[in-house]
Amino acid sequence: MAEPESEATADAPLYLRVAAALREDLAHRRISPGSRLPSERSLSQRYHVNRQTVRSALQLLRDERLVVTDRRGTFAAAGSADAGEPVVAALTAGRPTFPGGPRAAEALVRATLTWEPAPTPLAPRLLLTPGEPTLVHRHVVHGPQGAALQRAVSWFSRPALAEIPQLARYRRVRDRRQQPDLRLLYHWMHQAGLRITHRESVGVPPGPTTTTAGGAARLIVHRVVSDQHGHALEITDIDFSAQSAAWTYEFSA
């Protein structure tokens, strides 16, 4: 590749690496909205790949609605740098989504990423040694009055960080933004060639705190997302108020 490669993308398929570089150019407006991208020949020379690899990368960006192609060439979608919401909506329609984004059902969201050890009972399921740090995502949905309606914490496995370039880049401290948006996580898993299975169980938390201060019932959702080999990619625990939040299940074969 002509440009420096991050640890996260070094082992990714070539077309994903080209797409990631172009996506970065679009996000930082090095390719401005509405402007024409370099030709396939120019891109293949820049990234030292064949033209079919470039075509695959451009097709991925078209699927994400970041570029459009017509008889004149390929152009950055108008407003592509600000098109996160339409892109997410298009790619996640009819699919389970990972908690993320600035808002959820008109409620305020706060999300953080940290690098810390997983709880000891979860470490073997995440293929981690006891005390080994991993990426942890915390997500809180606040209602209009500021009360927390839903809390979620997710731990990612060693295979997830190894197989998913978009997730692995968060190993770097500078990429762990204050408001990370991982709503495309399951799309990224599919891009990486992973066939995922969602397994979720619902229960009532143990102990006396089974209701909120307002009297609403509390429910706990435990989610395990695994790949085609049965390896856990993500384990998430979600705690929410049954009065002020809803949980929708969607399964696909």
Side-chain angles (χ1 to χ4, degrees):
M1 302 290 284
E3 298 182 0
E5 296 174 1
S6 70
E7 175 188 352
T9 59
D11 297 325
L14 285 176
Y15 82 96
L16 287 181
R17 292 157 61 184
V18 173
L22 291 172
R23 194 183 292 109
E24 193 79 4
D25 286 344
L26 292 165
H28 290 87
R29 293 184 179 267
R30 290 190 287 268
I31 302 175
S32 58
S35 63
R36 183 174 180 174
L37 273 66
S39 67
E40 289 181 0
R41 182 189 297 273
S42 296
L43 291 173
S44 65
Q45 293 173 347
R46 174 189 299 181
Y47 298 114
H48 305 296
V49 297
N50 60 45
R51 292 181 69 173
Q52 184 55 51
T53 298
V54 171
R55 292 188 189 108
S56 296
L58 293 176
Q59 183 58 54
L60 179 57
L61 297 181
R62 280 192 289 272
D63 292 343
E64 296 176 359
R65 300 189 179 182
L66 294 178
V67 301
V68 293
T69 300
D70 61 24
R71 59 183 178 80
R72 299 170 299 161
T74 298
F75 296 81
S80 60
D82 300 315
E85 293 297 327
V87 169
V88 170
L91 293 179
T92 60
R95 295 180 181 175
T97 57
F98 186 84
R103 304 193 69 80
E106 301 307 315
L108 185 64
V109 168
R110 288 286 180 261
T112 60
L113 282 170
T114 57
W115 190 254
E116 61 186 83
T120 301
L122 295 184
R125 299 179 67 189
L126 297 168
L127 297 184
L128 301 170
T129 58
E132 180 181 352
T134 190
L135 197 65
V136 180
H137 181 270
R138 289 183 172 83
H139 179 269
V140 183
V141 178
H142 294 277
Q145 306 304 318
L149 305 180
Q150 178 177 300
R151 299 177 184 273
V153 57
S154 301
W155 297 272
F156 294 99
S157 69
R158 183 184 293 170
L161 295 175
E163 297 290 339
I164 306 164
Q166 300 92 332
L167 187 63
R169 68 189 177 92
Y170 288 111
R171 285 177 179 271
R172 300 177 297 180
V173 173
R174 67 177 179 272
D175 280 333
R176 281 179 243 154
R177 296 186 290 270
Q178 290 299 311
Q179 186 66 12
D181 188 348
L182 302 188
R183 284 174 294 173
L184 290 179
L185 175 64
Y186 301 140
H187 178 69
W188 298 338
M189 289 179 179
H190 284 288
Q191 282 183 339
L194 300 171
R195 298 193 302 276
I196 59 177
T197 300
H198 295 244
R199 181 181 177 86
E200 297 174 347
S201 57
V202 182
V204 176
T209 57
T210 58
T211 60
T212 65
R218 286 176 56 215
L219 294 178
I220 299 291
V221 175
H222 182 72
R223 171 192 295 162
V224 179
V225 177
S226 305
D227 66 12
Q228 61 267 38
H229 307 295
H231 298 147
L233 299 170
E234 163 220 335
I235 297 178
T236 296
D237 283 325
I238 304 172
D239 184 329
F240 67 95
S241 164
Q243 175 175 305
S244 54
W247 196 257
T248 301
Y249 287 90
E250 182 168 339
F251 296 92
S252 57

